[in-house]
Amino acid sequence: MAGPAGLECPAGPAAQAEIVVTFFIRRTIGAVLMLFVVSIATFLIFFGLPRLAGATPETFAARYLSRTADAHAQQVFAEKLGFYDPLWMQYGRWIKAIFVGTDYDYGTGIEHCAAPCFGYSFRTNHAVWTDLLDRMPVTVSLTVGASILWLVTGVGVGVLSALRKGSFFDRAAMTGALAGVSLPPYFTGLMFLYFFSYQFDLTAPGGTYVDFTDNPGEWAYSLILPWITLAMLNAAAYARFTRAGMLDTMGEDFIRTARAKGLHERVVVTKHGLRAALTPIITIFGLDVGLLLGGAILTESTFGLKGLGYFAIDAIGKQDFPQIMGVTMFAAFFVVVANLIVDMLYAVVDPRVRLS
């Protein structure tokens, strides 16, 4: 049986299942290789480039020691942490620590750092992995709430604008979308805080976060402004993308055929038109969620939320290499996994993807 673009589609369900499994395995292997490349690049940026710039093993060791430590103490500590070893050996230890842990105590007095071990902070001697987990609930809460809000709002407004092209609603929605895309989160966030929190006392002030397990109602109340601020930017973009996709799709031959068969307009729009227009939305939604899970830097900084984005900014400002490397790998993991999920959803929405 001939498939799309001249491809031969195996007729049997077993053959189709084999194609799907092969597709998923191939994409998973690609995702693992991408994380491997990112890990090499991350390590070389923070440990390779400084050496090219003249940094010595004692320079790295000094970051774990107090400012009063003399040259001998720095040398002893550098030897203990293996900073005199070749870079490939140091990279090997770093990767091994992530998967199986390490016996290097990094000056903390802890005999074993359990996997996944990203080392210890230069400043606090806290395990980087523990710090990441402590801030993860804030970022996940922000991402989940905002992503649902912008997806429902953006796609809904985009579909209605496409169906009512040229109407007052269409023009007003696209004008609002343009404004939403143009206004940065730190501006809208500060405006929302000033009016809704400090002037009218309708929402929680900045820096407020209540864990979901403690009180779900207070959790939502503390995040409603960050959700709206973050969703405004993305919902505006999604509305424009959805409108453009729906306008293209609703003029296709298969839409006219569906209408000629007497299908209800709601079925034509939702089952045939919207599904075809959602393909680019799936891509940007997966990437946006993956990036936000790595840290919504501007929104978290604006509202004083101690999530991964706030953690990353703090680590960069204080040049805490283990923390920066940890949050970089954390963010890369979410982006790669999001890409993998997008590829799999593509195969579900459009069978031509897995057949190509």
Side-chain angles (χ1 to χ4, degrees):
M1 181 174 63
L7 294 170
E8 294 297 322
C9 300
Q16 290 284 356
E18 182 179 354
I19 289 177
V20 173
V21 171
T22 303
F23 175 83
F24 289 164
I25 291 176
R26 187 169 66 247
R27 289 295 190 271
T28 303
I29 293 174
V32 172
L33 291 177
M34 179 59 66
L35 282 175
F36 175 69
V37 172
V38 171
S39 69
I40 293 177
T42 301
F43 185 85
L44 290 178
I45 287 173
F46 291 104
F47 284 93
L49 293 181
R51 286 198 172 190
L52 292 178
T56 63
E58 291 82 1
T59 304
F60 296 108
R63 294 185 175 274
Y64 284 101
L65 301 173
S66 65
R67 295 184 178 181
T68 58
D70 57 18
H72 177 71
Q74 294 176 7
Q75 182 180 5
V76 170
F77 204 74
E79 292 176 352
K80 181 179 181 180
L81 295 183
F83 287 144
Y84 286 102
D85 295 335
L87 283 177
W88 66 268
M89 290 182 62
Q90 295 184 46
Y91 171 77
R93 280 198 301 268
W94 182 60
I95 287 295
K96 179 182 177 182
I98 294 176
F99 288 100
V100 300
T102 180
D103 291 328
Y104 283 89
D105 65 9
Y106 297 92
T108 62
I110 301 174
E111 294 182 357
H112 181 74
C113 177
C117 178
F118 290 97
Y120 292 86
S121 167
F122 283 155
R123 298 173 292 110
T124 64
N125 278 341
H126 291 169
V128 173
W129 175 249
T130 302
D131 287 340
L132 293 174
L133 290 183
D134 288 343
R135 288 155 177 79
M136 190 66 189
V138 178
T139 300
V140 171
S141 298
L142 180 61
T143 301
V144 171
S147 62
I148 294 175
L149 191 59
W150 86 57
L151 182 64
V152 173
T153 305
V155 172
V157 170
V159 171
L160 291 177
S161 294
L163 296 178
R164 302 178 182 180
K165 181 182 177 183
S167 66
F168 174 77
F169 175 84
D170 179 32
R171 296 178 186 278
M174 290 303 100
T175 301
L178 180 61
V181 171
S182 304
L183 296 175
Y186 55 82
F187 175 79
T188 54
L190 290 176
M191 290 298 100
F192 286 158
L193 278 174
Y194 177 75
F195 287 106
F196 294 107
S197 293
Y198 303 124
Q199 290 295 319
F200 303 115
D201 197 25
L202 297 176
T203 57
T208 304
Y209 175 76
V210 178
D211 194 85
F212 178 83
T213 56
D214 294 337
N215 189 323
E218 289 293 329
W219 168 79
Y221 177 73
S222 67
L223 290 173
I224 186 65
L225 277 189
W227 284 344
I228 294 175
T229 300
L230 190 55
M232 275 188 60
L233 177 65
N234 291 284
Y238 279 53
R240 295 174 68 86
F241 281 127
T242 304
R243 179 182 182 275
M246 284 294 294
L247 288 176
D248 289 340
T249 302
M250 296 305 289
E252 295 289 341
D253 291 338
F254 70 90
I255 295 294
R256 288 192 288 270
T257 302
R259 284 171 172 159
K261 290 181 178 180
L263 295 179
H264 193 279
E265 185 66 14
R266 182 177 60 185
V267 177
V268 174
V269 172
T270 58
K271 186 176 180 180
H272 298 280
L274 183 58
R275 182 176 181 178
L278 280 180
T279 304
I281 300 299
I282 291 175
T283 302
I284 60 176
F285 182 72
L287 294 178
D288 285 341
V289 171
L291 288 171
L292 287 180
L293 286 173
I297 294 176
L298 292 179
T299 305
E300 289 180 6
S301 300
T302 300
F303 289 92
L305 298 174
K306 302 297 181 66
L308 291 175
Y310 192 98
F311 177 78
I313 289 295
D314 183 63
I316 292 172
K318 296 176 179 177
Q319 298 185 2
D320 198 325
F321 287 175
Q323 288 186 343
I324 300 173
M325 294 171 69
V327 76
T328 300
M329 291 303 301
F330 218 54
F333 171 80
F334 285 123
V335 172
V336 170
V337 169
N339 271 292
L340 179 61
I341 294 175
V342 165
D343 286 340
M344 293 179 178
L345 290 177
Y346 257 26
V348 174
V349 174
D350 189 353
R352 292 174 297 178
V353 174
R354 62 175 178 263
L355 291 173
S356 61

